[in-house]
Amino acid sequence: MKLSHSSITHLSLVLIIVLPSLISCQTCQKACGNQSIKYPFGTGPGCGDPRFQSYITCSQQQLTFTTHTGCYPITSIDYHTQVIYITDPSMSTCYCTQPSKGFGLDWNAPFSFHDNTVFALLDCSTSSSPIYKSGGGTNSTFPLCDAQGAPICSLLYSCQAISRLNIPISTCCVYTPVDLGPSFKMDLQKLQCTSYSGIYSFDGQEYNPESWQYGVAIKYKFNFDNDYPTTCANCERSNGVCGYNGQYNSFACNCPSGLNTTTDCFYGASWNNGFRQLPWQIGTSLICSLAWLLILVLV
């Protein structure tokens, strides 16, 4: 049967619109905005590791870290060292100071504070805050803080934004993550402090607070042994994205075709002179072949 010119034109439009979607409908994306997404994180349900699903989310091209204390933008992820860097919009820095409720990690989440993270509690009550205790005298107090943190407080309180508050340096207390206790929570209302600063790097300029990296560095682990899963590595080598599905959150490799497999995306691959074609490459070849067929029919 010979197709009319209008039928061929209609068929061409259908192929142009439909076929690309068949080979590029991968539900688990490899980026969120300008940030690369790799295992164990994912861009939606069924992507990445289920243990991290509720903590790391991608919404409107913004990667966010969520705990019981709030939602925080993720500025970057170092997949080599397994460290997440986040910012807290309510955090005080050398450039601005504002009230905050504090920050904390969920005790049962697969995260912990990076050893380099330093917390400086600002404008704390020296008379009633639990971080101070009596030293035996009526007017003497000793802060339950890191004694080595005094220079950090002095430099922070010299910043223009904080110095305008005209508060004494004695109201500053430097906490290290281990001091937050088993709950991993910094409750500023309970500690009777107005705000806090989080610093994860001094950027080689320990005496210049304007150059410090403000935020919180958080470590994560793949599993108890912290081994990168072999099944996930095989999936990624085949251009897939690691995920999970089913009642028991079984491993799934999400492929560019939109299909999930239990291994990798090399299913149905063909060999051509020793070259192994991936499914998305086969799909591209199929489109090219159909395009040539249309040209021959038209001619």
Side-chain angles (χ1 to χ4, degrees), residues 135 147 219 240 250 273:
K219 297 187 295 185
S250 302
N273 295 328

Side-chain angles (χ1 to χ4, degrees), residues 7-249:
S7 298
I8 294 174
T9 302
H10 178 72
L11 179 60
S12 302
L13 290 174
V14 171
L15 290 172
I16 291 173
I17 294 172
V18 175
L19 283 178
S21 66
L22 293 178
I23 65 166
S24 60
C25 55
Q26 192 162 28
T27 56
C28 296
Q29 303 303 310
K30 298 180 181 179
C32 178
N34 59 358
Q35 294 204 45
S36 173
I37 303 297
K38 298 180 180 179
Y39 184 87
F41 311 122
T43 56
C47 306
D49 188 313
R51 296 181 306 142
F52 295 85
Q53 177 63 53
S54 60
Y55 303 105
I56 308 293
T57 55
C58 177
S59 177
Q60 298 180 347
Q61 298 303 304
Q62 171 62 57
L63 202 60
T64 302
F65 180 77
T66 302
T67 76
H68 65 282
T69 57
C71 300
Y72 310 92
I74 296 177
T75 55
S76 64
I77 301 177
D78 189 330
Y79 289 99
H80 178 69
T81 58
Q82 297 174 217
V83 178
I84 304 170
Y85 297 94
I86 69 168
T87 58
D88 181 356
S90 70
M91 178 189 297
S92 293
T93 68
C94 194
Y95 299 97
C96 69
T97 181
Q98 53 191 334
S100 173
K101 294 181 180 180
F103 177 84
L105 296 176
D106 294 355
W107 70 270
N108 59 343
F111 303 100
S112 61
F113 290 108
H114 192 278
D115 295 338
N116 292 342
T117 300
V118 175
F119 292 113
L121 310 186
L122 310 178
D123 192 19
C124 303
S125 173
T126 57
S127 60
S128 57
S129 172
I131 63 175
Y132 294 92
K133 67 177 182 179
S134 174
T138 305
N139 299 318
S140 60
T141 58
F142 295 96
L144 299 175
C145 309
D146 189 344
Q148 303 300 318
I152 295 176
C153 285
S154 178
L155 289 166
L156 274 174
Y157 277 38
S158 70
C159 294
Q160 185 176 2
I162 301 179
S163 63
R164 283 198 297 261
L165 300 178
N166 196 27
I167 51 180
I169 297 177
S170 60
T171 62
C172 174
C173 176
V174 171
Y175 262 24
T176 54
V178 68
D179 296 319
L180 293 178
S183 63
F184 298 111
K185 183 176 181 180
M186 177 177 28
D187 188 339
L188 294 186
Q189 184 176 4
K190 180 179 179 180
L191 297 174
Q192 298 185 36
C193 302
T194 302
S195 185
Y196 81 102
S197 286
I199 306 150
Y200 61 79
S201 173
F202 296 101
D203 205 23
Q205 302 187 53
E206 285 76 5
Y207 299 100
N208 182 13
E210 293 184 355
S211 299
W212 295 351
Q213 298 294 320
Y214 293 94
V216 184
I218 299 170
K219 297 187 295 185
Y220 65 90
K221 294 178 65 175
F222 300 123
N223 45 49
F224 181 79
D225 295 323
N226 203 25
D227 294 328
Y228 199 89
T230 303
T231 52
C232 181
N234 294 336
C235 172
E236 291 177 335
R237 276 195 292 267
S238 65
N239 204 38
V241 178
C242 302
Y244 59 94
N245 61 20
Q247 181 180 358
Y248 301 102
N249 292 332

